[in-house]
Amino acid sequence: MLKKVLIANRGEIAVRVMRTCREMGIGTVAVYSELDRDALHVRLADEAYALGGQTAAESYLNTPAILDVIERSGADGVHPGYGFYSENTDFARAITDLGVTFVGPPPEAIEVMGDKISSRLAVEKVGVAGVPGRSQTLVDASEIVTFGEEFGWPVAIKAAYGGGGRGMKVVQGPNEAKDALESAQRESLNYFGRSECYLEKYLAWPRHIEMQVLADTHGNVLWLGERDCSAQRRHQKLIEEAPAPNFPDEIRRAMGEAAVKVSRACGYVNAGTVEFMFQDGEFYFLEMNTRLQVEHPVTELVTGLDLVELQLRIASGEEIPFTQEEIEHRGHAIEVRINAEDPSGGRFSPSPGTITRFDQPAGPGVRLDAGYAQGDTISQYYDNLIAKLVVWGADREKARRRMLRAIEETVIEGVATTLGADTVILSDEHFVNATHSTNWVETGLDFTTLPTLGPTPVSVGEGTVRKDVTAEVNGRRVSVALWVPEAGDEVLPRAHSTAAKPRRQHHAGVVGSGSGTVSVPMQGTIVKVTVEEGQHVEAGETVIILEAMKMENVVNAEKSGVVKSIKVKAGDSVSAGDVVAVIE
Ligand code: MV4
């Protein structure tokens, strides 16, 4: 068994891995950037080493610095978590060359599955179907037209080296083909460094169902059950559950067996996930994630297994200690992601800042995997996942109600969170009846009634803001809304909550100036400038698309006028507050 594991990650997943290591008597080594010196994963580790740097590239992706820490700490294994190095074969090979164990699959398996065309070909060979399409690189827009005429519109253009859904473009008809291909290739090049794209028939109302697999070095490959991740927005999963609702047992078994075939086809070892789309009773291979996933806890809660423990045992050369038939599935689990994002108005804009208050939920069937505690700061430089709230219930409805209860108990102040949006999703009849699809959050849900936590304080008349306080009247505790003068720098609740209970969330975001200078709210990369110098824009019109905190964010004009100058172009890096355009 491994003796000392370096966790090459941060936040909730680093904490998650360390907890199991601790239970197994395995020593834990944390690494940290300058900004994470006092982070939770550092506080929980047996040993912690500075990597220097602030951005991920300067710290958690600084290979020489991490290799150096591996040697200095004497770690005999590295757990990559998800993101960062988890699917980086150069890193896996570099540590293996040092005689250190990579807690993950062989690099060859990552390579086969890392490229969507080669993975389609690999699974076709073992008789697992992808969405009808062409496993070849697109050269010309005319191929899209030919394909659409043969298979019907719409058609999906996908990035061969993509992931997480970026680079997919839906083409409704022949006249959109050329622009869509250009835009898919541009996005693909921006995000993945490669522009290759291919074609598939577009499914209009698919569910995203993924199958957990586990493979050891002794030739055993098992499926551990599915997770339904259909509740997502712009390829960011919001809520995941196990088992998938309205999902017949024989399809579950067929999907499990298909996932095992896919794993065997690429020589998989360790924990992995095979993603499928499911529509009209058929499932189609989408891609394989060659890592532990964010949503793995829902599988843990319904199977009673510890996936990190199994990863560590497999990496140590042990055989999986149970057979396929011995795996039991009990009850229902739901996970919601708590991100530092402001979902008001359906915008989901990143909301970095310090968590000034964090009351954690507890009680029957509740698990919270958090990467932060009260007083910790969510940096604009990293993923903004604060925590995952996971519940178990005897059936889906019990789990759903338990989740709503647990969300009510959770109080986070100082940053905006997605909890309000999670409540909207969990309460909607499409989720309740499980008739939702991957398109549903974006097309069928209304987040405009969520409290505005964004740039503009809710004003009733000049300089007045709402403040929610609790008071005692005749010995009874009541919530009261006060309309008070806006205080200078003092942090006042800006939440204008229509709910009976105030949301109690403060926001530490950037306050819009209403001026003609357009500045970016956070550090990131310009994806696109959507206006030209000399052009007239309306207040609220999009000027720039900014990639920040793993999301595309729109930066809008605050006033109407003519664009006098544009100071950036696609690909430029910008810092928080940088002026990117001037409107007069
Ligand atoms: C599709 C699709 C419909 N038809 N392919 C998005 C993520 C990417 N890896 C694959 N994705 C999709 N591929 C065809 N031919 C719809 C999606 C899709 C989706 C898939 C899984 C989970 C969430 C999704 C959200 C929107 C679209």
Side-chain angles (χ1 to χ4, degrees), residues 131 158 165 168 200-203 208 232 235 277 287 438:
V131 183
K158 295 194 166 180
M168 184 176 91
E200 278 180 5
K201 183 174 168 53
Y202 178 70
L203 304 177
H208 171 124
Q232 58 87 48
H235 311 297
M277 285 191 295
E287 53 193 71
T438 54

Side-chain angles (χ1 to χ4, degrees), residues 190-429:
N190 270 355
Y191 291 129
F192 314 114
R194 301 280 298 254
S195 65
E196 288 92 329
C197 292
Y198 69 100
L199 284 179
E200 278 180 5
K201 183 174 168 53
Y202 178 70
L203 304 177
W205 200 251
R207 285 163 72 186
H208 171 124
I209 301 184
E210 58 185 30
M211 184 59 67
Q212 179 71 51
V213 294
L214 204 57
D216 64 23
T217 50
H218 304 265
N220 303 298
V221 186
L222 310 183
W223 57 273
L224 270 55
E226 79 287 1
R227 298 182 283 262
D228 189 324
C229 312
S230 300
Q232 58 87 48
R233 178 190 166 274
R234 302 211 182 155
H235 311 297
Q236 301 280 347
K237 293 168 186 164
L238 296 168
I239 299 186
E240 304 99 349
E241 59 183 313
N246 303 334
F247 192 61
D249 255 336
E250 61 273 17
I251 296 182
R252 170 171 301 110
R253 193 169 319 109
M255 185 182 279
E257 285 163 7
V260 167
K261 276 191 209 165
V262 169
S263 307
R264 289 197 187 281
C266 66
Y268 205 79
V269 175
N270 217 286
T273 298
V274 184
E275 292 188 351
F276 297 92
M277 285 191 295
F278 177 61
Q279 184 178 292
D280 305 325
E282 302 277 344
F283 60 81
Y284 307 96
F285 171 81
L286 201 51
E287 53 193 71
M288 181 164 188
N289 297 314
T290 53
R291 58 168 189 276
L292 186 68
Q293 285 196 274
V294 177
E295 58 272 23
H296 76 274
V298 293
T299 303
E300 296 188 319
L301 292 194
V302 295
T303 58
L305 299 170
D306 179 333
L307 288 175
V308 173
E309 176 190 347
L310 288 160
Q311 285 194 295
L312 293 163
R313 290 192 183 286
I314 288 167
S316 305
E318 290 185 15
E319 199 166 348
I320 299 171
F322 47 81
T323 65
Q324 184 67 57
E325 292 66 39
E326 285 168 347
I327 299 169
E328 287 174 28
H329 297 266
R330 249 189 100 225
H332 200 95
I334 302 178
E335 169 179 290
V336 303
R337 298 188 184 199
I338 307 177
N339 285 94
E341 280 168 30
D342 181 353
S344 64
R347 283 183 296 273
F348 292 81
S349 30
S351 175
T354 297
I355 302 173
T356 52
R357 178 173 168 189
F358 192 172
D359 295 354
Q360 304 200 342
V366 174
R367 165 174 169 181
L368 187 79
D369 279 22
Y372 301 85
Q374 183 166 309
D376 290 346
T377 297
I378 321 266
S379 159
Q380 59 174 347
Y381 289 108
Y382 313 120
D383 187 297
N384 60 24
L385 183 64
I386 301 171
K388 305 180 307 205
L389 174 54
V390 202
V391 301
W392 182 89
D395 60 33
R396 186 171 190 262
E397 182 58 11
K398 285 183 172 143
R400 191 185 71 88
R401 285 171 173 269
R402 180 166 274 170
M403 180 61 87
L404 288 168
R405 183 271 293 172
I407 290 175
E408 277 176 9
E409 286 182 21
T410 311
V411 181
I412 297 177
E413 291 178 355
V415 297
T417 78
T418 44
L419 278 174
D422 294 327
T423 302
V424 170
I425 295 171
L426 290 161
S427 308
D428 191 277
E429 63 174 324

Side-chain angles (χ1 to χ4, degrees), residues 93-145:
R93 290 194 170 105
I95 68 159
T96 312
D97 288 347
L98 293 176
V100 172
T101 303
F102 180 73
V103 183
E108 296 74 22
I110 301 177
E111 275 160 3
V112 174
M113 290 301 164
D115 148 11
K116 304 299 170 269
I117 294 183
S118 84
S119 65
R120 261 185 77 99
L121 289 170
V123 311
E124 270 169 23
K125 258 192 231 155
V126 294
V128 174
V131 183
R134 292 173 63 224
S135 308
Q136 289 155 31
T137 304
L138 258 175
V139 180
D140 192 88
S142 65
E143 298 168 56
I144 301 169
V145 178

